Amino acid sequence: MTSWPPDPGSLRRPAYRSLVKAIETAIQNDALKPGDRLPTQRKLAYDLNLSVQTVSRAYAKLTEAGKITGAVGRGTFVRASQDDVKMPFVTRKTSRGLLDMSILKPVTDHAHEDALQEVLHAIARSVPHSVLGGSRPDLGIGAASAAIKHWLGLCGLDVGDGPVIPTNGSTSAMSVALMAAAQPGDLVVTENIGHHTLRPLARFLGLRLQGVTVDDGGICPHALEDICRDHGVKALYIMPTGMNPLAFTMSEARRAAVVDIARRHDITIIENHAWGPLQDAPPPPIAALAPERTLFFTSLSKCLIPGLRVGYLAAPDHLGAAVANRHLVTNWMATGLMTEIAERWIADGTAEKLLNRQRLALGDRADYARRILEGLPFQSSPNGLHIWIGCADVQQEKALVSAAREGGVAVAPASSFAIGPHGLHPGIRVALGGQSFPDFARGLRIVAQITRQISGVEI
């Protein structure tokens, strides 16, 4: 393996080109990993007996090539490779008539259309000042409104008078939470198969990211303990309730074990609860067990309608100001219209009616999936938005994704969710919502048939 930093005697003229090559080789051979902080220009110049101008020129060339990134006051970091930012779902340009079962969306029908038309008509008859004159919702870090508190209560969380900020969905909340919990160069740990945007987001923020072993019950406390004991972990990002690609829901006992580890090692927890109260009677959120150190976020997009881009980020008191600041500077504001619709729906009961309708629809689809996939290695969660079909290895996963696409169905590969080695959890994620029931059923039958053919499972 290439050593880092290089031996000053190994550099040849012109020195800046030789340094560029040395850094590129170190990145290729994993001596430098995405998220690693590079020495300051002055320090590296001193260590290698070079001029600061030479190091500056080398860093500039590497920045132009997309190998490193940096900003004044933050430092210089190794960037992720381009394949680190591939999303699990197909884009509009690449769909080409495919039945898209790669992206998670709730089931929508005429009830959602009627509800949206009704609330928009009501708002149009008497436009609130927050919709007409506000460029963003109130950023105050005080207590949440009664409606927001009620919705978070449905998620199992009593925020009291703690700070809650409306966000432009879960992705915004996720970014803000990471920025509030960790600084560039800090180590963030998470499930070794998790959220598809976490890996590139951590790289772009200059955070180091490491996966923690999971089993069918979620993150393994002993593995988390080992990492915390051996490394300076700053934050834990976790998806404990159904929405992990493997579709597990962590038990209350395991959540308590994770909280105990976080407290002993003084780790901030970021809890992704993006599905909201979609699951029936899950264990209490981790934020309810450790409110003093947990940044908790949820949204309405996944459990009601995709276009309702509204989320809520609850923070401990000591992080409230940091969360508000990060939210302001990222400009990912929830709009006044969206937050007005969300609060009206929660207050008048529409949100819960649509939520219950969603639970029934996804429950029906999960029952259908269990019948169609009988005998195959799959996992699901109650009222979940997806199922997980395991594969024997990475080659079988690639073959399944490719064959499904040739059959007209797009599914999400495990490689998009891997945090660390890809081969630990080979498989595919298949979305249950986003399509009419006939299209969903047709797509699932195609996936089931292809899976049996490739895996050799008899009907």
Side-chain angles (χ1 to χ4, degrees):
M1 180 174 290
T2 302
S3 62
W4 177 256
D7 183 346
S10 67
L11 300 178
R12 300 290 183 265
R13 293 184 179 277
Y16 82 92
R17 287 185 182 175
S18 187
L19 180 56
V20 166
K21 181 64 176 177
I23 294 176
E24 288 179 335
T25 301
I27 293 172
Q28 292 168 2
N29 294 339
D30 283 339
L32 284 173
K33 295 180 172 58
D36 282 354
R37 186 197 296 267
L38 291 174
T40 64
Q41 295 178 16
R42 186 172 299 280
K43 184 178 187 308
L44 189 59
Y46 177 83
D47 291 343
L48 300 181
N49 196 27
L50 298 173
S51 69
V52 174
Q53 291 80 2
T54 296
V55 176
S56 177
R57 189 174 182 185
Y59 276 19
K61 292 294 182 182
L62 289 162
T63 300
E64 291 174 7
K67 302 292 185 180
I68 64 174
T69 184
V72 175
R74 295 178 62 239
T76 303
F77 301 88
V78 178
R79 287 192 63 175
S81 59
Q82 289 301 310
D83 64 357
D84 233 6
V85 297
K86 288 183 179 177
M87 295 294 104
F89 44 82
V90 294
T91 64
R92 186 173 299 178
K93 289 183 179 180
T94 60
S95 61
R96 297 179 182 176
L98 289 173
L99 183 60
D100 188 2
M101 301 182 76
S102 67
I103 189 169
L104 301 187
K105 290 183 178 180
V107 179
T108 55
D109 57 22
H110 64 87
H112 299 80
E113 295 177 8
D114 293 345
L116 190 56
Q117 288 177 358
E118 183 178 341
V119 73
L120 289 174
H121 286 157
I123 291 174
R125 286 193 295 268
S126 179
V127 180
H129 175 72
S130 61
V131 173
L132 182 64
S135 61
R136 56 178 181 260
D138 184 10
L139 288 178
I141 59 175
S145 68
I148 294 175
K149 286 183 179 181
H150 178 71
W151 189 256
L152 293 175
L154 294 177
C155 297
L157 185 62
D158 180 3
V159 296
D161 293 329
V164 179
I165 291 180
T167 66
N168 185 27
S170 289
T171 304
S172 167
M174 173 182 174
S175 302
V176 171
L178 279 170
M179 294 172 69
Q183 299 294 320
D186 284 340
L187 176 61
V188 177
V189 296
T190 186
E191 298 103 334
N192 62 9
I193 180 166
H195 201 283
H196 62 274
T197 63
L198 179 59
R199 187 172 60 185
L201 178 58
R203 303 298 188 254
F204 298 149
L205 293 177
L207 303 173
R208 294 180 292 132
L209 189 66
Q210 184 171 343
V212 182
T213 301
V214 301
D215 58 21
D216 57 6
I219 202 166
C220 297
H222 65 85
L224 177 61
E225 177 72 51
D226 290 344
I227 293 177
C228 292
R229 184 182 61 247
D230 298 338
H231 304 280
V233 176
K234 186 67 175 180
L236 166 65
Y237 180 98
I238 193 166
M239 299 188 295
T241 310
M243 65 174 291
N244 184 279
L246 299 184
F248 56 69
T249 292
M250 291 176 62
S251 67
E252 186 170 358
R254 189 171 289 200
R255 294 174 192 230
V258 167
V259 166
D260 177 65
I261 294 169
R263 282 178 172 150
R264 286 190 285 106
H265 293 277
D266 194 22
I267 297 169
T268 300
I269 301 172
I270 301 171
E271 183 176 8
N272 184 335
H273 199 83
W275 288 5
L278 193 58
Q279 305 283 271
D280 287 329
I286 289 176
L289 304 178
E292 82 285 354
R293 65 182 58 253
T294 305
L295 291 153
F296 173 97
F297 65 87
T298 188
S299 80
L300 281 71
S301 307
K302 295 296 186 185
C303 58
L304 298 186
I305 57 174
L308 190 59
R309 298 296 303 173
V310 175
Y312 304 116
L313 172 59
D317 289 336
H318 71 281
L319 288 177
V323 164
N325 175 267
R326 273 53 166 189
H327 189 228
L328 176 64
V329 299
T330 56
N331 292 314
W332 277 52
M333 306 303 175
T335 64
L337 179 60
M338 291 294 102
T339 54
E340 181 69 21
I341 292 172
E343 295 213 20
R344 288 193 182 205
W345 275 4
I346 295 170
D348 68 14
T350 300
E352 286 184 66
K353 290 178 182 178
L354 295 178
L355 175 67
N356 290 331
R357 191 178 186 89
Q358 192 66 219
R359 287 172 172 166
L360 290 173
L362 290 172
D364 289 343
R365 295 188 182 208
D367 289 342
Y368 183 84
R370 280 190 284 272
R371 295 196 301 271
I372 297 299
L373 299 173
E374 185 177 0
L376 293 174
F378 75 96
Q379 298 163 241
S380 61
S381 61
N383 311 323
L385 286 165
H386 73 272
I387 56 174
W388 178 264
I389 302 177
C391 296
D393 51 39
V394 173
Q395 288 69 34
Q396 191 176 98
E397 174 192 312
K398 291 180 179 179
L400 180 52
V401 172
S402 178
R405 193 181 185 95
E406 290 178 4
V409 182
V411 295
S415 58
S416 297
F417 309 104
I419 310 293
H422 168 199
L424 295 176
H425 304 280
I428 59 171
R429 190 191 71 179
V430 184
L432 300 183
Q435 308 289 341
S436 67
F437 191 92
D439 283 344
F440 151 76
R442 175 172 61 87
L444 191 65
R445 289 195 299 269
I446 292 172
V447 171
Q449 180 182 10
I450 290 172
T451 302
R452 288 191 169 94
Q453 290 173 347
I454 291 178
S455 63
V457 174
E458 298 292 337
I459 299 176

